[in-house]
Amino acid sequence: MSPVEAGSRTAAWFPGPAPHDGPAPARLVCIPYAGGTASLFREWQRRLGPEVEVVSVQLPGRGLRLREQPYTASAALVSDLASALVEAGICRDYALFGHSMGALLAYEVACELRERGEQEPFHLYVSGSRAPHLYGTRADHLLSDGELRALVSDLGGLERDRAVDAAYFERRLPVLRADLRVCETYRWRPRRPLRCPMTAFSASRDVLASAAQTEAWRDYTSGSFLRRHFQGDHFFLNDGPTRERLLRSLSDELAGAAADLPARAAGFQSAPARREAPWIS
């Protein structure tokens, strides 16, 4: 493969503007939920401000990658996404955010990059997801089309315009099934906890990731841990006041992280604040 072809393949993972040229602001790499696209994070750059560079991940099988086959197993997906991050030069001064399947991938990518000798993220944000060792108890990718549509509707994923959403859902069925298979065949492999701080977001009506299942992420970091609990269903990050609370929380935390980056680059590591108590926003 030529350098141009390799560069094109890497760029396909990150369809937004090219990574910042020069001294980088804090980067937030965002990975969508099962069946989701990079457009989920379209407005986040404007909301999070110039101190943060939002890098949206586009997985195969959707958007401009529609002709590519989606992954059906986590190992290859994690390895290839980690390689794309390294090749794009994004693994410096970066945080990871993922919702549902995206949270699982964000954690696995952080571990993969650490095993390759790359920097860990300076923060890991996991949203709408049970802890990794709690995966493997569902088989939703085997549901009929009607059953799968009903499940997504019950989770709050078909509430804006049902006619439009139903048509969109039909087009997304193959990639949704592939993504669900990634999650449902995943098996956690014990490793030492990450060192970076972690924030976990849960929602009151999320039947896929209860407060207790989200709290179980605490054991996956030796740094500080905070769980923020919102009112909402599984798709609480899509719109409405709960999304605004989520973005405000991210903005506040990332602003502080961006201010710490010069000290981190100079080799100074301040002791993380202990953020033990979960709270409801």
Side-chain angles (χ1 to χ4, degrees):
M1 182 183 300
S2 73
V4 171
E5 290 173 322
S8 298
R9 288 178 62 86
T10 298
W13 290 90
F14 315 113
H20 187 79
D21 188 18
R27 290 191 177 105
L28 180 65
V29 179
C30 298
I31 310 175
Y33 47 69
T37 70
S39 63
L40 174 64
F41 308 106
R42 181 180 295 128
E43 295 296 317
W44 284 33
Q45 183 65 72
R46 179 181 61 82
R47 293 287 284 103
L48 295 179
E51 293 81 12
V52 178
E53 180 181 7
V54 176
V55 179
S56 304
V57 173
Q58 187 77 294
L59 301 176
R62 60 213 89 191
L64 295 176
R65 309 187 72 185
L66 187 61
R67 295 184 181 277
E68 297 181 48
Q69 286 296 314
Y71 290 83
T72 57
S74 62
L77 173 52
V78 167
S79 178
D80 289 352
L81 177 51
S83 294
L85 287 165
V86 172
E87 290 165 9
I90 295 174
C91 301
R92 185 180 67 256
D93 299 336
Y94 74 105
L96 288 167
F97 173 93
H99 184 82
S100 197
M101 177 187 76
L104 184 66
L105 295 178
Y107 163 73
E108 284 292 332
V109 164
C111 292
E112 174 74 13
L113 290 171
R114 178 180 64 182
E115 290 171 7
R116 297 187 188 192
E118 301 288 341
Q119 289 182 359
E120 283 190 14
F122 65 76
H123 206 109
L124 177 61
Y125 297 95
V126 293
S127 174
S129 173
R130 60 185 64 192
H133 68 279
L134 299 176
Y135 274 76
T137 61
R138 303 181 66 95
D140 296 330
H141 71 284
L142 298 176
L143 294 174
S144 69
D145 290 357
E147 290 170 331
L148 195 51
R149 186 185 302 107
L151 172 64
V152 174
S153 180
D154 290 343
L155 291 173
L158 294 175
E159 291 188 345
R160 296 179 299 281
D161 182 328
R162 288 185 175 272
V164 173
D165 279 356
Y168 177 79
F169 180 83
E170 294 296 331
R171 296 195 300 272
R172 300 259 47 85
L173 263 175
V175 75
L176 174 60
R177 288 191 186 280
D179 288 352
L180 290 175
R181 187 174 179 184
V182 167
C183 297
E184 293 162 4
T185 59
Y186 168 85
R187 297 296 180 270
W188 178 62
R189 175 168 60 88
R191 281 152 290 179
R192 73 182 189 278
L194 295 166
R195 297 179 59 193
C196 62
M198 184 184 300
T199 301
F201 300 100
S202 57
S204 57
R205 301 191 304 277
D206 189 348
V207 298
L208 294 185
S210 68
Q213 290 170 327
T214 309
E215 180 71 16
W217 279 98
R218 181 181 297 274
D219 293 335
Y220 287 78
T221 178
S222 61
S224 63
F225 177 88
L226 174 65
R227 179 171 62 83
R228 294 190 168 180
H229 192 63
F230 299 124
Q231 297 299 320
D233 54 34
H234 184 66
F235 293 100
F236 65 86
L237 82 167
N238 277 352
D239 50 37
T242 303
R243 183 182 71 168
E244 294 306 306
R245 295 188 186 101
L246 170 66
L247 288 171
R248 188 163 60 246
S249 298
L250 288 170
S251 179
D252 291 345
E253 288 204 24
L254 287 165
D260 289 341
L261 288 179
R264 187 181 295 111
F268 298 103
Q269 182 68 45
S270 58
R274 298 308 300 173
R275 307 176 304 156
E276 298 272 334
W279 55 281
I280 295 179
S281 185

